[in-house]
Amino acid sequence: MKTLFKKQCSAKEILPEKLGFRYAKSTLALAIFSSVSLFAQDQTVDTTKTTNLDEVLVAAVRVTAQTPVTFSNVSKKELQSRNLGQDIPSLLNYLPSVVTTTDAGNGIGYSSIRVRGADATRVNVTVNGIPYNDSESQGTFWVNMPDFASSLENIQLQRGVGTSTNGAAAFGASLNLLTDAYANKANAEISNSFGSFNSRKHTVKFSTGLMNDHFELAGRLSNIKSDGYIDRAFSDMKSYFLQGTYINKNTLIKALVFGGDQKTYQAWNGIDKEMLDKDRRFNPSGMFTDADGNTRFYDNETDNYKQDHYQLHWSEKWSENWNTNLAFHYTKGEGFYENYKENDTASDYLGINPTELDEDGNLTLTDLIRQKWLVNDFYGATFSSTYKKDKWNVIVGGGWNKYEGDHFGKVIWARNAGDSELGDKYYDDASTKTDLNVFAKANYQILDKLSLFGDLQYRTVNYKANGEDTGLVDDTFEFFNPKAGLTFTVNDKNSIYFSYAVANREPRRDDYENGSFKSERLNDFELGWRYASPKVKLNVNGFYMRYKDQLVLTGALNDVGAPVYTNSGDSYRLGLEIDATVSVNDKVLFRPNLALSTNKNIDFYSEVDGELKNLGDTDIAFSPNFIASNAFTYLPFQNFQVSLLTKLVGEQYMSNVDDKAARLESYFVNDINLVYEIKTKSIFKSIILTGLVNNVFDYEYVSNGADYGGGYLVYFPQAGINFLAGLTLKF
């Protein structure tokens, strides 16, 4: 929950040699997604009956090769080979321009993703076209959706502004998830995996298949536990997924209920350089000194949150040219984080009246245990209508969504409470946010080889809050977000595209608390080339993203581990992305990608020795200039594959002042993924054995950190060599 709970519940380019791997030059073919699973799925969709009506759920927010937008698609098969308990960011780690990190250090628990240097608050996420980002923080908390990858049909990542979507603005990328399509035949599976740090995942899935050719009921139950690489950074997460489907020739109706319940020990404070060298796994969270002077750790320094989602979708094909989708949704969230506060000022908490005064007659400091709560509701509707005929492909859509949040804090224990009543709320705030957007997109075939794309979106947002730190807020923002582009098909193998897109973004709750009330604006220019032949697929994309009043990461974290931002005025990101799929033969496959970029604040001002100074153009924090990956997959014999997965991330600054002492070093890690499927003739349809060895060379690296200024730096080390092994039984 991190940023959900504040007080109101509250680089330079690096060469591979510098990593210490002299062979990196020759072995790095440079990046893409994990291994390609070639195993057939038991879920067989009758596409003639649905006319891909399942895809209509996300058609309004997705793009195709005819759209002048750079994107990556991830199929169910690609997700399965490494889905052994790690969160969705870890499964997407090998996509272009992607950097991931986890608090616990092993991909389970609190995880986050950055795309083109943009953090999770700037990556728009939708599930079946429904907004998933938290309305106030605009972040995405994957820990609240454990094992959700087991219920996904596919994922699309659009880099840059992309096309119009529902929810938070895409200031770095948009990520939309499509849940399981219905199954034509009854099936079930049981999956279990175990690995390092006492990690384990248990999943049970089922589908009735189509009953009477029209109805299907499917579901999943999952439990994931891990001690984490970082000391005490345990996770205990449960989740469920249930969907009922009605289908006929032209109609698809889906009712979905899914959710998660998680308890994780806090690991969002990081460690300093001295401790990094001494004990990489140390966790300072919950540390206090008892009455006898002994150092101890509070055993319930935990984050606790439960979230339930309800969705109802109706997709209708009215004719060969026209189909529609209407959806209603409701999300209920409730939880708190609990922590031990040592020597805190008692007067800051209502109901705490210490029995002692200091020598000046002031209220004494006290040890206490507090809980910061968030109870929220999010509900609304989305719609879209698609028309295709002759030279036209038109989509009209939008949505109305409302968020209501209650933020309050409790003290459940205090050392010097006297006769006070504990459990009273020491703050109690409320907030609401209403978001309305409508858009129209069209592809028009001007000439046989030239198509024009246009996309217009109007979005209005009203945010109200009454927090002590935010003050009274009642702001309304109105945004107009135009997008346009051209695609030229050179021949049956080559196409070229160009696009220009505008995005605007309202402030987050934290921004109000930090005194920033400005909206942000992004102008995004993209130029790309796509090549496709039977053995080679290549995408080359150049981008220039120019920001006005961008809120960039300062490098610091607040008291709940959430990043703090500052307004940089003018800034930009200029880069080149290359990704490919190369099929050498029927046994060998390469999937490399590479991202080169320069990311700059223009005339950045910062306080130096008590004076505000212009530092000139500085690097944007947490924006590496070099990111590369590669997946080398070898199939020695039928139904068995071995993949070597490589990731290289260049050095990155932890603040915006180009402080060379405050840099994260580049890192180069390799994983090995093995998948073997045994086809059986009785009891089971198949047995799948999966293995994953992460960081096979046991490389010590840090993927995230924080710079609080004054030379105080903290780091978040990731695990050395570790493994996960799984067994899946399909019925």
Side-chain angles (χ1 to χ4, degrees):
M1 289 188 305
K2 288 186 179 179
T3 53
L4 299 182
F5 296 111
K6 291 189 49 77
K7 185 172 183 185
Q8 290 73 25
C9 240
S10 296
K12 287 183 179 178
E13 183 174 332
I14 185 84
L15 295 177
E17 298 97 300
K18 291 185 180 180
L19 299 169
F21 293 92
R22 292 292 179 181
Y23 62 86
K25 269 186 174 180
S26 58
T27 59
L28 263 179
L30 316 168
I32 192 174
F33 187 36
S34 72
S35 50
V36 179
S37 176
L38 301 181
F39 303 130
Q41 302 301 305
D42 288 325
Q43 282 197 343
T44 303
V45 176
D46 185 348
T47 55
T48 60
K49 179 173 288 188
T50 65
T51 316
N52 289 326
L53 281 173
D54 269 302
E55 297 290 340
V56 174
L57 272 61
V58 293
V61 297
R62 286 202 168 177
V63 297
T64 67
Q66 285 69 50
T67 313
V69 170
T70 182
F71 66 95
S72 300
N73 288 330
V74 184
S75 69
K76 177 186 286 290
K77 293 179 182 180
E78 292 172 315
L79 291 169
Q80 280 187 333
S81 64
R82 296 193 301 127
N83 184 21
L84 298 171
Q86 292 179 308
D87 300 323
I88 286 178
S90 294
L91 300 181
L92 302 181
N93 186 44
Y94 295 92
L95 291 179
S97 292
V98 166
V99 176
T100 64
T101 186
T102 60
D103 287 359
N106 65 326
I108 301 176
Y110 266 108
S111 302
S112 63
I113 186 171
R114 295 190 181 117
V115 185
R116 292 185 178 177
D119 73 313
T121 68
R122 292 160 177 271
V123 177
N124 169 277
V125 179
T126 57
V127 179
N128 298 328
I130 305 297
Y132 180 68
N133 298 69
D134 172 67
S135 292
E136 289 192 280
S137 71
Q138 300 182 28
T140 302
F141 301 95
W142 301 105
V143 70
N144 299 329
M145 302 172 69
D147 199 27
F148 198 62
S150 291
S151 295
L152 290 179
E153 191 67 24
N154 52 57
I155 298 174
Q156 184 177 90
L157 175 68
Q158 299 173 28
R159 296 183 295 279
V161 171
T163 65
S164 293
T165 186
N166 298 308
F171 258 52
S174 58
L175 185 65
N176 56 76
L177 290 65
L178 176 64
T179 56
D180 277 340
Y182 79 88
N184 196 41
K185 296 181 179 180
N187 63 81
E189 68 178 63
I190 300 173
S191 299
N192 293 282
S193 62
F194 301 87
S196 302
F197 319 117
N198 290 320
S199 301
R200 58 189 187 272
K201 178 177 84 77
H202 310 291
T203 302
V204 177
K205 288 186 67 176
F206 77 93
S207 170
T208 63
L210 282 184
M211 299 179 291
N212 298 324
D213 292 327
H214 292 295
F215 299 94
E216 184 231 23
L217 185 65
R220 171 186 56 84
L221 290 174
S222 300
N223 182 209
I224 299 176
K225 290 187 177 182
S226 177
D227 290 346
Y229 167 70
I230 301 301
D231 185 32
R232 302 185 317 283
F234 69 78
S235 300
D236 185 356
M237 304 179 290
K238 303 174 180 65
S239 68
Y240 67 94
F241 180 90
L242 183 66
Q243 75 174 12
T245 302
Y246 168 78
I247 180 76
N248 68 16
K249 184 177 181 180
N250 297 312
T251 302
L252 175 70
I253 297 176
K254 274 193 171 186
L256 298 90
V257 183
F258 57 91
D261 189 352
Q262 62 89 7
K263 182 173 184 175
T264 54
Y265 196 95
Q266 295 169 24
W268 58 57
N269 292 308
I271 55 176
D272 61 23
K273 184 63 167 64
E274 181 181 358
M275 186 58 70
L276 180 67
D277 295 334
K278 180 181 178 182
D279 181 6
R280 294 173 55 84
R281 302 180 67 174
F282 182 76
N283 184 4
S285 298
M287 185 169 63
F288 69 97
T289 304
D290 67 15
D292 297 323
N294 301 311
T295 299
R296 296 175 56 189
F297 296 91
Y298 181 52
D299 59 6
N300 200 39
E301 190 91 353
T302 57
D303 182 84
N304 308 262
Y305 199 70
K306 186 177 187 299
Q307 194 173 71
D308 298 293
H309 300 257
Y310 306 85
Q311 295 184 1
L312 177 63
H313 296 267
W314 171 33
S315 296
E316 188 74 24
K317 179 185 176 184
W318 300 99
S319 69
E320 289 300 320
N321 310 113
W322 181 35
N323 58 61
T324 60
N325 179 69
L326 177 64
F328 300 93
H329 67 90
Y330 171 64
T331 300
K332 178 67 177 181
E334 181 175 6
F336 63 93
Y337 82 86
E338 181 173 314
N339 70 320
Y340 191 104
K341 296 287 289 181
E342 187 174 28
N343 292 327
D344 210 352
T345 304
S347 58
D348 289 345
Y349 300 89
L350 297 177
I352 305 302
N353 298 308
T355 55
E356 301 176 4
L357 299 178
D358 63 19
E359 59 184 10
D360 296 323
N362 298 317
L363 293 174
T364 58
L365 302 176
T366 182
D367 292 358
L368 56 87
I369 299 171
R370 68 179 183 180
Q371 292 179 346
K372 289 191 170 184
W373 279 82
L374 172 66
V375 178
N376 57 13
D377 301 272
F378 179 61
Y379 53 90
T382 64
F383 72 94
S384 66
S385 178
T386 302
Y387 178 79
K388 295 181 182 180
K389 189 175 182 180
D390 300 330
K391 298 180 179 182
W392 287 97
N393 182 355
V394 180
I395 299 174
V396 177
W400 177 90
N401 305 290
K402 187 169 184 178
Y403 170 91
E404 299 172 346
D406 292 327
H407 309 256
F408 55 89
K410 297 179 179 180
V411 175
I412 63 172
W413 173 85
R415 187 179 302 279
N416 300 316
D419 297 327
S420 303
E421 293 291 331
L422 299 177
D424 290 338
K425 298 177 181 179
Y426 65 92
Y427 67 88
D428 190 0
D429 309 327
S431 59
T432 62
K433 185 175 182 178
T434 305
D435 185 335
L436 170 69
N437 92 96
V438 290
F439 57 80
K441 312 176 186 181
N443 253 314
Y444 177 67
Q445 199 72 32
I446 303 173
L447 303 171
D448 288 343
K449 293 187 175 184
L450 183 64
S451 63
L452 172 66
F453 174 75
D455 181 347
L456 302 176
Q457 182 192 49
Y458 169 77
R459 180 168 178 248
T460 180
V461 179
N462 175 257
Y463 180 58
K464 298 179 180 179
N466 66 346
E468 181 179 327
D469 291 337
T470 62
L472 292 176
V473 178
D474 186 355
D475 280 350
T476 299
F477 300 89
E478 295 189 52
F479 301 131
F480 175 59
N481 301 314
K483 307 167 186 69
L486 292 168
T487 300
F488 179 65
T489 304
V490 180
N491 51 42
D492 59 354
K493 292 182 179 179
N494 295 273
S495 64
I496 301 170
Y497 63 85
F498 170 77
S499 67
Y500 166 68
V502 174
N504 291 276
R505 181 176 179 270
E506 71 279 9
R508 305 167 307 128
R509 184 185 185 92
D510 289 358
D511 299 331
Y512 281 100
E513 294 181 356
N514 294 327
S516 178
F517 315 108
K518 291 182 179 180
S519 62
E520 306 168 68
R521 184 178 178 87
L522 166 62
N523 293 276
D524 182 19
F525 301 84
E526 308 273 339
L527 176 64
W529 166 45
R530 295 186 177 111
Y531 172 82
S533 71
K535 291 200 169 186
V536 178
K537 290 181 173 59
L538 175 66
N539 302 296
V540 180
N541 185 79
F543 62 88
Y544 177 64
M545 305 171 71
R546 182 63 183 252
Y547 298 86
K548 180 65 176 177
D549 296 322
Q550 180 184 191
L551 286 164
V552 296
L553 298 167
T554 65
L557 303 175
N558 64 21
D559 62 345
V560 295
V564 178
Y565 296 77
T566 186
N567 193 294
S568 68
D570 292 328
S571 56
Y572 69 88
R573 302 181 188 275
L574 174 67
L576 176 69
E577 298 164 329
I578 305 172
D579 67 271
T581 300
V582 181
S583 178
V584 179
N585 52 45
D586 59 358
K587 292 183 178 294
V588 178
L589 183 75
F590 289 92
R591 302 190 71 179
N593 70 50
L594 166 69
L596 301 171
S597 65
T598 180
N599 310 274
K600 294 290 185 177
N601 302 298
I602 301 173
D603 291 331
F604 186 75
Y605 283 81
S606 182
E607 188 174 296
V608 179
D609 298 328
E611 295 183 12
L612 194 62
K613 293 186 177 180
N614 185 345
L615 302 182
D617 294 356
T618 65
D619 282 2
I620 300 176
F622 299 102
S623 299
N625 293 346
F626 184 89
I627 304 171
S629 310
N630 182 57
F632 166 72
T633 300
Y634 175 57
L635 293 87
F637 53 84
Q638 188 176 8
N639 298 331
F640 179 59
Q641 71 173 40
V642 181
S643 297
L644 173 63
L645 311 171
T646 298
K647 185 76 174 186
L648 170 61
V649 177
E651 65 182 14
Q652 49 192 306
Y653 285 97
M654 291 190 287
S655 66
N656 297 281
V657 297
D658 287 356
D659 181 3
K660 293 183 178 181
R663 288 182 297 187
L664 294 177
E665 295 181 359
S666 57
Y667 58 88
F668 177 49
V669 292
N670 296 266
D671 304 339
I672 294 179
N673 185 206
L674 302 93
V675 185
Y676 179 48
E677 184 179 31
I678 304 170
K679 297 287 188 179
T680 60
K681 296 182 179 180
S682 60
I683 304 178
F684 307 114
K685 289 182 180 179
S686 67
I687 301 172
I688 301 176
L689 303 172
T690 309
L692 180 63
V693 182
N694 297 298
N695 197 0
V696 65
F697 296 117
D698 199 26
Y699 186 69
E700 291 189 349
Y701 72 104
V702 175
S703 61
N704 196 19
D707 180 359
Y708 291 91
Y712 179 50
L713 309 172
V714 300
Y715 303 88
F716 294 85
Q718 303 298 287
I721 185 170
N722 63 96
F723 77 93
L724 291 164
L727 172 67
T728 298
L729 306 175
K730 292 196 171 187
F731 300 86

